[in-house]
């Protein structure tokens, strides 16, 4: 019997591990064992300093693969607002400035700033998209990168309690609810992150 | 003797009138009499609701030309930051949200937000440009639009007391001082607004 391949998800967010495990299983990579970075408490923090989602995802995946000696996967994601020329983009998590990563109010401050910046922007110009770039990297330096996109529009007031970040103001195309009003399963099925990790599963099959 | 042509500058900012008068005179349109919108206290306020500088400048120029029955000139300007995909752009005056137009802290809040958003952005990616679009409109609907650009880079701390808006953190190409450290004359000679209004002077010669 062959040992099942293990990959490290380059995140300390423990909620993400079962989510990614479920997506990979569904995409036919269910034999892949996914562990979180919490198994490596001394792993160095990787700052997302690149100007692109792909740059940041690769930076994290390579750093974790080198540190752990295991295949690593990482993602970087954000919101691109048409009326803001595609920003906040890679600055989505710190759009309103630096509150330190631990502040529970940071997400809400970022969301509120986007609402304020678009206060005068009419419905027909409130298009936006969630983007997720997922990357896999091996300790030997090989890599694979994929992108998932969810198009939608921004409403003017928060709706829903699920999800995080900009979810309460984002309504996907073909939906009337925000992504914060979808269940985790409904969101995974259509989301940028779900799409990216489903694509990544196919890439993992080749790499591992 | 012919009456000198009079144009209305679509601004309530009384500092702008002598500035524009000086630029037009220097550009050979010194016989044009420039008056401010303060001569029309009941003129309706025109909101800058267009997604482009040109759209806003034209909106204001046409509205004032229609209201006053005189040729009108207007401008819209802002800062385009490379690392923000060209934003704040048309949102430059309300980048940090809506503080109401009268707040003296608004400029500083906008500037501080850009500094915070670029806190991690290294010097080689801190390029930016000031843009000014100036428009002239006649009561009969004819119009002329020009654009001026000043390339430069953003520093990480405020320097200088002159100017307004983002001037304290903007260093023009070929300069070591910020635009807030230049005299009004030095700034006019190289600025986006100076360039746009010099171009507009030529257009006015044809229109009037």
């Amino acid at each position: 019997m062959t040992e099942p391949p293990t990959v490290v998800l380059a995140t300390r967010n423990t909620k993400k591990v079962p989510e990614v495990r479920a997506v990979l299983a569904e995409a036919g990579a269910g034999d892949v064992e996914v562990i979180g970075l919490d198994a490596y408490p001394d792993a160095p923090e990787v700052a997302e300093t690149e100007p692109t989602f792909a740059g940041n995802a690769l930076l994290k995946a390579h750093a974790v693969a080198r540190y752990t000696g295991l295949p690593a996967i990482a993602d970087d994601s954000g919101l691109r607002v048409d009326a803001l020329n595609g920003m906040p983009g890679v600055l989505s998590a710190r759009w309103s400035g630096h509150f330190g990563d631990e502040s529970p109010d940071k997400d809400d401050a970022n969301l509120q700033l986007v609402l304020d910046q678009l206060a005068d922007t009419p419905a027909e110009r409130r298009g936006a998209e969630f983007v997720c770039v997922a990357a896999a990297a091996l300790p030997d330096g090989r890599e694979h990168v994929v992108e998932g996109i969810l198009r939608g529009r921004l409403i003017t007031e928060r709706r829903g309690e699920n999800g995080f970040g900009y979810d309460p103001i984002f309504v996907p195309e073909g939906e009337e609810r925000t992504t914060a009003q979808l269940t985790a399963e409904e969101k995974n099925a259509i989301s940028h992150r779900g799409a990216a990790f489903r694509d990544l599963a196919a890439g993992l099959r080749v790499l591992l």
Side-chain angles (χ1 to χ4, degrees), chain A:
Chain A
M1 235 178 87
T2 326
E3 192 81 353
T6 300
V7 305
V8 190
L9 181 61
T11 179
R12 295 196 185 283
N13 183 342
T14 49
K15 281 197 240 170
K16 275 193 180 176
V17 175
E19 197 180 304
V20 169
R21 198 178 280 148
V23 168
L24 293 186
E26 181 200 309
D31 59 325
V32 175
E33 178 67 20
V34 181
I35 61 172
L37 206 51
D38 48 327
Y40 297 86
D42 297 329
E45 201 66 42
V46 181
E48 300 185 339
T49 52
E50 292 296 307
T52 61
F53 294 120
N56 284 325
L58 282 166
L59 198 68
K60 289 187 284 183
H62 281 294
V64 169
R66 272 196 307 271
Y67 183 82
T68 62
L70 288 172
I73 55 183
D75 71 300
D76 191 28
S77 57
L79 178 69
R80 289 201 287 231
V81 178
D82 298 353
L84 299 177
N85 286 355
M87 299 304 291
V90 289
L91 299 181
S92 290
R94 48 202 161 107
W95 190 232
S96 57
H98 289 261
F99 290 77
D101 278 352
E102 311 311 324
S103 161
D105 300 329
K106 199 187 60 161
D107 274 15
D108 197 64
N110 292 331
L111 181 159
Q112 186 61 49
L113 178 56
V114 167
L115 279 186
D116 289 346
Q117 289 170 326
L118 300 189
D120 293 342
T121 303
E124 67 271 20
R125 284 202 268 121
R126 296 181 72 95
E129 60 194 26
F130 275 130
V131 182
C132 176
V133 174
L138 264 56
D140 66 12
R142 280 181 294 154
E143 64 185 34
H144 186 68
V145 190
V146 295
E147 181 180 78
I149 290 180
L150 177 61
R151 278 296 301 178
R153 62 191 167 83
L154 300 179
I155 57 175
T156 56
E157 285 178 353
R158 295 163 177 76
R159 288 207 319 249
E161 304 294 331
N162 304 330
F164 61 97
Y166 301 93
D167 279 331
I169 56 169
F170 185 89
V171 175
E173 272 182 5
E175 260 294 336
E176 291 302 321
R177 296 172 296 174
T178 68
T179 40
Q181 293 176 302
L182 302 180
T183 65
E185 292 68 34
E186 288 175 321
K187 191 180 162 190
N188 256 341
I190 61 167
S191 83
H192 53 305
R193 186 168 290 108
F197 275 99
R198 277 188 294 275
D199 271 7
L200 194 67
L204 277 178
R205 290 262 62 92
V206 179
L207 279 183
L208 295 179

